[in-house]
Amino acid sequence: MGTADIIDGKAFAAGLRERIGSAVTELKAKYGEVPGLAVVLVGEDPASQVYVRNKGKQTLESGMASFEHKLDASTSEESLLKLIAELNADRAVDGILVQLPLPAHIDSQKVLDAIDPEKDVDGFHVVNAGRLATGGDALVPCTPLGCLLLLRDRLGDLSGKHAVVVGRSNIVGKPMAALLLRESCTVTVTHSRTADLPGECRRADILVAAVGRPEMVKGDWIKPGATVIDVGINRVDAPEKGDGKTKLVGDVDFASASKVAGAITPVPGGVGPMTIACLLRNTVEAACRRRGWAMPEL
Ligand code: GUN
């Protein structure tokens, strides 16, 4: 038992954004153009509005072009699909991101699958999910990609390690498992029906928690020395801070887990900041592939 090293995702993401900024400057000097990212927001979900604002801001800060499309909550599926078709055809647009969740009257998968897979910087299109699962050249979902970059930075070669992923969502759990398998980890995917979740977690050299349940993973679920990646961002009441106050916590009980783990990501400041940095990285990658540019080292 000791004290885990803190994996500083905020600092790593800042470094990655800086490298992306330099790469964009280089591309502009070499080819006279910059990558462009289109972000589509339907409706007024407050969390989505914050994400979309940050995405646009960081896109511009990195020197890339940002195209924001804010549509009314009552927008029909048909007109959203028409916008996607226009963005697919627009040569200044290298990446298209449709912010989720979409209003209930719109079929999200139908919209995601209407995006040109070569512009699918979220990696949510079935073609990219299929390419990732079969070892092809996929655009990889941003959050699991961010987790992988932190793991590689901490551990180097991941081959032969036992990785346990808690959660099986299409956005995080499944692509995370596919990425870890691609790194030659032995991968266990657990979920709400897993018989002995603490026991499965205890076998993990690498534990990735992505279930959306505040502080569910306890310290005694963790193998001593394991690397713990906490993807959860849960807002909970914080009466200790005063009446009506709230705070953000992860899916891992940080206080107990950090006494057992070798290294752990905090919430906030761990995986969260990596997601938008990886979105920018994917936009550069999509631009280089589409335009036949040499991909800069990132
Ligand atoms: N909503 C929450 N996370 C994400 C994400 O990674 N991509 C998109 N498009 N929407 C989200």
Side-chain angles (χ1 to χ4, degrees), residues 51 55 97-101 122 124 142-143 171 275:
Y51 286 135
K55 284 167 186 172
L97 180 143
V98 178
Q99 186 66 30
L100 301 177
D122 251 334
F124 292 164
C142 304
T143 298
I171 293 183
T275 298

Side-chain angles (χ1 to χ4, degrees), residues 94-107:
D94 296 288
I96 302 170
L97 180 143
V98 178
Q99 186 66 30
L100 301 177
L102 287 169
H105 67 276
I106 297 177
D107 178 345

Side-chain angles (χ1 to χ4, degrees), residues 113-135:
D113 287 340
I115 296 171
D116 178 346
E118 306 313 319
K119 296 190 177 189
D120 171 36
V121 283
D122 251 334
F124 292 164
H125 193 289
V126 284
V127 164
N128 280 313
R131 283 178 184 157
L132 176 59
T134 56

Side-chain angles (χ1 to χ4, degrees), residues 88-297:
N88 282 343
D90 185 340
R91 58 174 306 284
V93 172
D94 296 288
I96 302 170
L97 180 143
V98 178
Q99 186 66 30
L100 301 177
L102 287 169
H105 67 276
I106 297 177
D107 178 345
S108 299
Q109 196 59 49
K110 190 169 170 190
V111 171
L112 296 178
D113 287 340
I115 296 171
D116 178 346
E118 306 313 319
K119 296 190 177 189
D120 171 36
V121 283
D122 251 334
F124 292 164
H125 193 289
V126 284
V127 164
N128 280 313
R131 283 178 184 157
L132 176 59
T134 56
D137 245 344
L139 284 165
V140 175
C142 304
T143 298
L145 179 58
C147 296
L148 180 67
L149 296 182
L150 292 177
L151 282 168
R152 277 208 204 122
D153 183 59
R154 167 80 194 175
L155 298 169
D157 182 13
L158 305 182
S159 67
K161 299 202 181 295
H162 192 146
V164 175
V165 179
V166 188
R168 55 174 157 177
S169 70
N170 289 341
I171 293 183
V172 185
K174 281 182 207 155
M176 188 77 244
L179 274 176
L180 291 164
L181 193 56
R182 200 171 78 174
E183 298 291 310
S184 299
C185 291
T186 302
V187 182
T188 303
V189 183
T190 66
H191 45 79
S192 53
R193 302 289 179 90
T194 295
D196 176 17
L197 187 55
E200 297 295 342
C201 290
R202 254 176 239 127
R203 296 165 60 210
D205 303 311
I206 294 168
L207 183 62
V208 181
V211 273
R213 294 212 174 199
E215 301 178 319
M216 186 180 81
V217 176
K218 307 298 181 195
D220 64 358
W221 297 22
I222 293 166
K223 174 152 92 175
T227 304
V228 178
I229 304 290
D230 189 351
V231 182
I233 300 178
N234 309 289
R235 188 162 284 286
V236 297
D237 291 337
E240 74 275 12
K241 286 170 67 182
D243 250 7
K245 297 282 195 215
T246 63
K247 62 177 176 180
L248 290 179
V249 298
D251 293 347
V252 178
D253 175 25
F254 186 87
S256 63
S258 60
K259 294 193 174 85
V260 188
I264 186 168
T265 58
V267 177
V271 173
M274 291 297 291
T275 298
I276 298 183
C278 286
L279 173 67
L280 303 178
R281 188 197 171 283
N282 278 354
T283 304
V284 173
E285 187 173 342
C288 290
R289 278 200 220 158
R290 271 188 64 241
R291 298 172 188 248
W293 296 349
M295 176 73 183
E297 197 69 45

